[in-house]
Amino acid sequence: MRRTFQLPEEDEECLSNGGFRWEAVTEGGTKWLIIPGYLLPDGYTQRVADVALRIPPSYPDDQIDMVYFHPGLSLTSGKMIKALTPHVLDGKPYQQWSRHRTPINPWRPGLDNVCTHLIQVDTWLRRELN
């Protein structure tokens, strides 16, 4: 797995404890965490997808925002998923999900990290099914 930059030890530990394989890739000066084979909940036409998170330069003080999927996701119900944008990363077409934290659930420097953001991702995935 590629590692062009180092994540904080806390992130590497939680990813390892979660059983995730992951890559830390820099593309065009932007840092990306890519998690291949991320398990999706029932209700998506795919069972797994690669997940990418853009890691901001001032992380972990500044939040991780949104999530990117390859291949793009669709629902078995046929319902359209809103707020999607195509994005090419690592030579592959990703689907950017424009999902953000809210004032009720803000990023908490010193508490939030890659793994708490993945909890957000799982919440967004489940919400889309309703």
Side-chain angles (χ1 to χ4, degrees):
M1 304 302 291
R2 296 170 292 172
R3 304 279 163 82
T4 63
F5 67 92
Q6 189 170 2
L7 288 170
E9 184 178 330
E10 166 183 58
D11 288 335
E12 291 191 13
E13 192 173 289
C14 76
L15 288 165
S16 177
N17 290 342
F20 295 109
R21 294 180 311 121
W22 57 276
E23 296 185 294
V25 177
T26 304
E27 186 169 283
T30 302
K31 294 177 180 179
W32 293 91
L33 171 65
I34 300 174
I35 302 171
Y38 195 85
L39 186 61
L40 303 171
D42 289 337
Y44 289 88
T45 56
Q46 302 89 326
R47 290 300 302 138
V48 297
D50 293 352
V51 166
L53 305 177
R54 187 180 58 79
I55 307 298
S58 53
Y59 174 79
D61 291 330
D62 282 336
Q63 72 176 355
I64 300 170
D65 192 32
M66 301 190 281
V67 63
Y68 301 74
F69 293 102
H70 170 78
L73 306 186
S74 57
L75 300 171
T76 56
S77 67
K79 178 182 158 196
M80 297 299 295
I81 302 171
K82 296 181 181 169
L84 304 178
T85 308
H87 182 87
V88 176
L89 171 61
D90 202 26
K92 300 174 188 169
Y94 275 76
Q95 183 185 63
Q96 175 186 290
W97 281 39
S98 184
R99 308 293 188 277
H100 315 281
R101 289 179 175 267
T102 64
I104 295 169
N105 184 23
W107 182 263
R108 302 161 301 167
L111 294 175
D112 284 313
N113 57 32
V114 163
C115 288
T116 62
H117 190 71
L118 290 174
I119 292 169
Q120 282 292 124
V121 169
D122 289 340
T123 299
W124 296 331
L125 285 165
R126 284 190 307 277
R127 262 192 213 146
E128 204 58 46
L129 295 171
N130 296 330

